[in-house]
């Protein structure tokens, strides 16, 4: 089991472009969580998804951000019209069920220039 | 809303000395508490959780509900303990998202 895989590891976008961050959970895991880490801050929860469903998106900015976890394929965090303030490390975690250990990916470092 | 506070951003300790990383939380219910560790160039991984009452790599943490604390301790620091440590809280009762503290960077001085 390769663990939680995130790609790309590093992503550079110009202001106004779109950023797509991918997360492949561990095999058999149907729960996915996205976190954002701004410079000098802790990890902040963004969204929690189960296959094809958004369970909790209370940490997602209301505009420009969206997430999906389709029946087939990885979970995608999409940021439209990126701004400099979106520059951060974005971490994905997956778990087998809601109450079991969450395993983290290595993160995607987004830089907006 | 729940909150996790790690008051020390940086902590340096000599090899062989005791280590204590502080974590305080605020939450009205009975949460589950965790410590995660991130070694250099590696992913975040679970170190221990309070309900399992384990000692991992010599680290222990006791949940003190009276002081709402979950400090991480190790009696004798080793160089390989240098890493970033995050305290995290899970509220439970179907609200299954971890709330993290800002982290403490521990450096063990040889």
């Amino acid at each position: 089991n390769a663990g939680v895989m995130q790609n790309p590891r590093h992503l550079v976008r110009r202001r106004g472009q779109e950023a797509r961050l991918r997360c492949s959970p561990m095999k058999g895991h149907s729960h996915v969580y996205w976190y954002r880490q701004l410079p000098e801050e802790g990890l902040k929860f963004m969204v929690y998804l189960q296959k094809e469903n958004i369970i909790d998106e209370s940490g997602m900015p209301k505009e420009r951000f969206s997430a999906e976890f389709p029946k087939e394929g990885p979970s995608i965090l999409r940021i439209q019209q990126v701004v400099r303030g979106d520059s951060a490390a974005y971490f994905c975690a997956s778990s087998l069920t809601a109450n079991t250990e969450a395993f983290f990916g290595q993160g995607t470092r987004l830089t907006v220039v | 809303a729940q909150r996790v506070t790690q008051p020390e951003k940086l902590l340096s300790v000599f090899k062989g000395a005791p280590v204590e990383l502080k974590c305080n939380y605020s939450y009205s219910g009975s949460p589950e508490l965790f410590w995660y560790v991130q070694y250099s160039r590696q992913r975040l991984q679970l170190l221990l959780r309070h309900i399992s009452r384990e000692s991992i790599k010599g680290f222990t943490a006791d949940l003190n509900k009276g002081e709402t604390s979950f400090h991480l301790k190790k009696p004798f620091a080793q160089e390989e303990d240098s890493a970033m440590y995050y305290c995290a809280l899970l509220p439970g009762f179907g609200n299954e998202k971890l709330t993290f503290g800002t982290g403490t960077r521990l450096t063990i001085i040889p």
Side-chain angles (χ1 to χ4, degrees):
Chain A
N1 198 328
V4 179
M5 302 300 292
Q6 288 188 249
N7 68 81
R9 290 287 309 277
H10 300 275
L11 181 61
V12 179
R13 283 288 177 264
R14 293 186 189 281
R15 278 179 294 171
Q17 289 185 317
E18 179 180 286
R20 278 183 181 245
L21 289 66
R22 291 175 188 76
C23 169
S24 296
M26 284 182 72
K27 192 174 180 182
H29 286 194
S30 58
H31 297 248
V32 164
Y33 312 81
W34 284 93
Y35 290 83
R36 176 165 65 173
Q37 185 176 35
L38 293 166
E40 305 298 317
E41 295 187 21
L43 286 88
K44 289 213 163 53
F45 168 79
M46 297 183 77
V47 62
Y48 163 34
L49 310 105
Q50 279 181 265
K51 279 288 186 183
E52 299 184 272
N53 293 307
I54 295 175
I55 307 300
D56 184 340
E57 55 181 348
S58 57
M60 286 270 275
K62 294 284 184 278
E63 296 176 352
R64 302 187 298 108
F65 285 71
S66 62
E68 61 176 16
F69 188 17
K71 192 175 179 183
E72 302 290 339
S75 175
I76 308 282
L77 179 67
R78 184 179 172 211
I79 312 172
Q80 295 177 289
Q81 298 174 306
V82 295
V83 300
R84 287 237 168 96
D86 297 332
S87 294
Y90 291 83
F91 290 92
C92 168
S94 76
S95 64
L96 191 61
T97 67
N99 286 320
T100 52
E101 180 183 345
F103 292 85
F104 281 80
Q106 290 192 291
T108 294
R109 190 162 297 278
L110 172 65
T111 303
V112 179
V113 296
Chain B
Q2 60 269 20
R3 188 173 188 160
V4 176
T5 304
Q6 291 178 252
E8 302 139 328
K9 267 192 168 179
L10 303 168
L11 182 64
S12 295
V13 172
F14 283 101
K15 179 181 171 182
V19 176
E20 183 179 48
L21 288 84
K22 291 186 169 51
C23 172
N24 288 89
Y25 67 91
S26 62
Y27 180 65
S28 54
S30 292
E32 192 172 347
L33 275 296
F34 304 80
W35 276 99
Y36 281 80
V37 61
Q38 188 173 29
Y39 299 105
S40 180
R41 295 196 184 86
Q42 293 186 30
R43 65 189 67 201
L44 202 64
Q45 55 188 286
L46 180 64
L47 181 62
L48 54 80
R49 58 200 302 176
H50 88 270
I51 60 167
S52 61
R53 294 187 163 274
E54 292 174 300
S55 172
I56 308 292
K57 300 186 180 184
F59 284 98
T60 57
D62 289 317
L63 181 60
N64 186 323
K65 290 186 179 179
E67 294 182 0
T68 58
S69 68
F70 188 56
H71 303 326
L72 184 69
K73 298 178 185 178
K74 184 170 181 176
F76 307 105
Q78 297 171 286
E79 284 185 65
E80 55 264 32
D81 296 329
S82 293
M84 194 76 182
Y85 291 80
Y86 292 94
C87 183
L89 177 154
L90 193 65
F93 301 106
N95 186 353
E96 304 306 341
K97 55 182 186 278
L98 287 163
T99 297
F100 284 87
T102 48
T104 298
R105 182 170 297 283
L106 175 65
T107 302
I108 306 302
I109 305 163

